[in-house]
Amino acid sequence: METIRQKLGFLCDMDGVIYHGDMILPGVKEFVDWLYKENKKFLFLTNSSRYSPVELQHKLNRMGLEVDSSHFYTSALATAKFLSSQSPGCSAYVIGEPGLYNALYDAGITINPVDPDYVIVGETSNYNYDSICQAVRHVLNGAKLIGTNTDLTGPSENGIIPACRALIAPIELATGKIAYYVGKPNPLMMRTGLKMLGVHSEDAAIIGDRMDTDIIAGIESGLDTVLVLSGVSTRSLVEQYPYSPRVIANGVGEIPG
């Protein structure tokens, strides 16, 4: 853990690490206070595409945490950045929440329910059979299928809930097309995060609750890794993977010491 404390920069997951739903997790305020006190560079890197950085800032503020919006980077922003570099001025049919729509608008991507270039799927509670059918039709007509992240499930205050990859699975199965996923563990998101921090991978650590996204993303990007058990993963689950985190902690409150 002392090696982790010496790092200059931290990429920190949010869901299951900082909060569950609208409940802040134990030790989080002490961890954030420590980041500021030690002048650490940090970025809350979330696979969720639901919210914009400003919305996430307000969400934490309601929980008693004051963090500037510049400290947030989402899979929605990463998806918009990827599409704008691949196909500037493209259009998309979108299944998702305002955070995804806003990121796409800001990147110059137009919403097109008729003949889109892409079908983009993120987390949403407005998921229905009609939207699946429309997405399938567009993909069969040539639209490319994009997922904001590969998370199958996510934590909430009411337990585990389906996430992006579970929502996109029916579209993949019905079309025979495999989506391209932009969020963690895709190195694109990690490289952007490190660039935003201005820190080399050797001097940074990633903190997350998922072995299949956060920890593998950190390992493949050359970061030290901290798995917290406050979200999805358990100690017994860790043993099922061929790789392991540098440190396992019950929560981020253990990091300041």
Side-chain angles (χ1 to χ4, degrees), residues 182-201:
V182 180
K184 296 175 292 183
N186 192 324
L188 282 174
M189 197 167 176
M190 309 303 294
R191 291 197 191 109
T192 302
L194 289 170
K195 189 174 180 182
M196 290 172 72
L197 289 183
V199 172
H200 192 276
S201 57

Side-chain angles (χ1 to χ4, degrees), residues 48-100:
S48 173
S49 59
R50 283 179 176 271
Y51 306 111
S52 68
V54 171
E55 287 171 323
L56 289 170
Q57 178 190 25
H58 290 164
K59 183 181 175 85
L60 291 194
N61 190 259
R62 290 192 298 270
M63 298 178 187
L65 284 177
E66 291 190 18
V67 179
D68 188 79
S69 62
S70 62
H71 289 287
F72 300 93
Y73 192 62
T74 72
S75 67
L77 294 172
T79 300
K81 179 179 168 65
F82 169 73
L83 290 179
S84 63
S85 65
Q86 285 280 305
S87 183
C90 65
S91 67
Y93 175 74
V94 181
I95 298 174
E97 295 288 330
L100 179 55

Side-chain angles (χ1 to χ4, degrees), residues 35-239:
L35 290 172
Y36 277 115
K37 184 167 71 74
E38 298 294 323
N39 292 316
K40 303 292 187 183
K41 295 184 177 180
F42 67 95
L43 194 63
F44 289 126
L45 200 69
T46 175
N47 255 358
S48 173
S49 59
R50 283 179 176 271
Y51 306 111
S52 68
V54 171
E55 287 171 323
L56 289 170
Q57 178 190 25
H58 290 164
K59 183 181 175 85
L60 291 194
N61 190 259
R62 290 192 298 270
M63 298 178 187
L65 284 177
E66 291 190 18
V67 179
D68 188 79
S69 62
S70 62
H71 289 287
F72 300 93
Y73 192 62
T74 72
S75 67
L77 294 172
T79 300
K81 179 179 168 65
F82 169 73
L83 290 179
S84 63
S85 65
Q86 285 280 305
S87 183
C90 65
S91 67
Y93 175 74
V94 181
I95 298 174
E97 295 288 330
L100 179 55
Y101 280 94
N102 292 338
L104 296 170
Y105 278 130
D106 290 344
I109 296 160
T110 56
I111 305 305
N112 179 357
V114 180
D115 55 352
D117 302 305
Y118 293 90
V119 168
I120 306 170
V121 181
E123 295 82 15
T124 179
S125 53
N126 298 313
Y127 183 77
N128 58 56
Y129 185 69
D130 181 59
S131 61
I132 298 170
C133 290
Q134 286 194 62
V136 167
R137 185 169 66 252
H138 293 319
V139 172
L140 290 175
N141 285 336
K144 299 175 179 69
L145 185 58
I146 302 288
T148 59
N149 65 78
T150 60
D151 291 1
L152 275 170
T153 61
S156 77
E157 62 267 38
N158 297 317
I160 298 299
I161 56 174
C164 179
R165 195 170 179 183
L167 303 185
I168 208 170
I171 303 166
E172 290 183 321
L173 291 168
T175 61
K177 303 291 185 182
I178 302 300
Y180 179 73
Y181 295 95
V182 180
K184 296 175 292 183
N186 192 324
L188 282 174
M189 197 167 176
M190 309 303 294
R191 291 197 191 109
T192 302
L194 289 170
K195 189 174 180 182
M196 290 172 72
L197 289 183
V199 172
H200 192 276
S201 57
E202 291 178 356
D203 299 317
I206 183 168
I207 305 165
D209 69 318
R210 302 186 70 108
M211 289 291 291
D212 56 348
T213 53
D214 305 311
I215 302 307
I216 189 61
I219 291 170
E220 292 182 350
S221 303
L223 288 79
D224 257 335
T225 53
V226 179
L227 178 76
V228 292
L229 304 178
S230 50
V232 170
S233 295
T234 60
R235 286 188 184 273
S236 60
L237 185 66
V238 173
E239 296 169 7

